[in-house]
Amino acid sequence: EDYYRTCFLDIIVDNEAHFRDTKALDFGCGCGRNIKNLLDLNVFSQVDGCDISKKNVEYSKKYIESEYPEKSNTWETDGYTLKPSSDNEYSFIMSHIVFQHIANWHIRFSILADVYRTLKPGGLAMIHFMDLDDSVSYKASYPEPGTTGEHGLINCRVENINFVIDDFN
């Protein structure tokens, strides 16, 4: 919890005047936990979320609306962009442990270009990924072909984390 707060939330709290009454976006919002954490700061006027998974988008919408009705929009992305978001819409865009799932460089680059398109001038994009040793596998909620289970299955990931790092250079 302290690490999460230090990495994501403290920069917003420490620069509250810069972010006050602006919009934020969580790319790869999953279940909506980060949307709620950002709304709990009571800084942003709205915090949106998008994900490639329709199921995640529906879950996060339900999760957020129970506590913050009308303060968030969620949508399923096309996998390449943040559409239908507008140019210069967000003062803060975050993505927490998402990009290591996107193995194709062209797709990562397309998404990063769209992050730049939707970020307001002077805005902040924070993109975090797990620093995994190449020999480490991690679990995901995507079923393996031929199974019906939801948890405990190996997920895809970028095999060399330097590929993701190079995208930012």
Side-chain angles (χ1 to χ4, degrees):
E1 183 69 32
D2 290 339
Y3 175 78
Y4 178 85
R5 183 158 201 51
T6 300
C7 287
F8 276 113
L9 305 179
D10 283 353
I11 195 163
I12 295 163
V13 172
D14 293 345
N15 297 282
E16 183 177 332
H18 180 75
F19 295 109
R20 172 69 53 202
D21 295 325
T22 64
K23 292 172 67 177
L25 174 69
D26 178 11
F27 171 76
C29 65
C31 67
R33 179 179 56 95
N34 291 317
I35 298 171
K36 181 185 181 308
N37 289 338
L38 291 173
L39 285 168
D40 285 347
L41 294 176
N42 199 27
V43 172
F44 297 103
S45 61
Q46 181 172 322
V47 180
D48 296 336
C50 61
D51 200 290
I52 196 168
S53 165
K54 183 176 184 175
K55 185 177 178 180
N56 284 348
V57 169
E58 290 170 354
Y59 184 89
S60 64
K61 180 180 178 74
K62 184 177 178 183
Y63 175 67
I64 297 306
E65 284 183 348
S66 66
E67 195 165 336
Y68 293 102
E70 301 180 24
K71 291 206 71 160
S72 180
N73 291 316
T74 58
W75 66 91
E76 181 182 1
T77 70
D78 60 11
Y80 297 90
T81 68
L82 305 182
K83 292 177 181 173
S85 58
S86 303
D87 294 356
N88 306 317
E89 184 170 358
Y90 297 102
S91 64
F92 182 75
I93 298 175
M94 67 170 289
S95 183
H96 186 58
I97 60 172
V98 173
F99 277 85
Q100 74 271 7
H101 298 287
I102 307 168
N104 184 290
W105 177 85
H106 295 286
I107 295 171
R108 281 197 314 272
F109 188 82
S110 177
I111 294 166
L112 290 171
D114 223 42
V115 166
Y116 183 77
R117 177 189 65 81
T118 60
L119 193 63
K120 286 184 170 201
L124 175 65
M126 293 183 73
I127 299 175
H128 290 186
F129 52 89
M130 287 188 282
D131 186 12
L132 295 173
D133 180 287
D134 282 352
S135 64
V136 175
S137 295
Y138 58 94
K139 305 298 180 181
S141 59
Y142 302 99
E144 196 171 274
T147 68
T148 57
E150 282 196 59
H151 297 287
L153 302 170
I154 295 173
N155 196 355
C156 72
R157 67 181 170 99
V158 176
E159 287 297 322
N160 184 339
I161 203 67
N162 289 318
F163 294 158
V164 177
I165 293 168
D166 289 346
D167 289 347
F168 295 96
N169 292 326

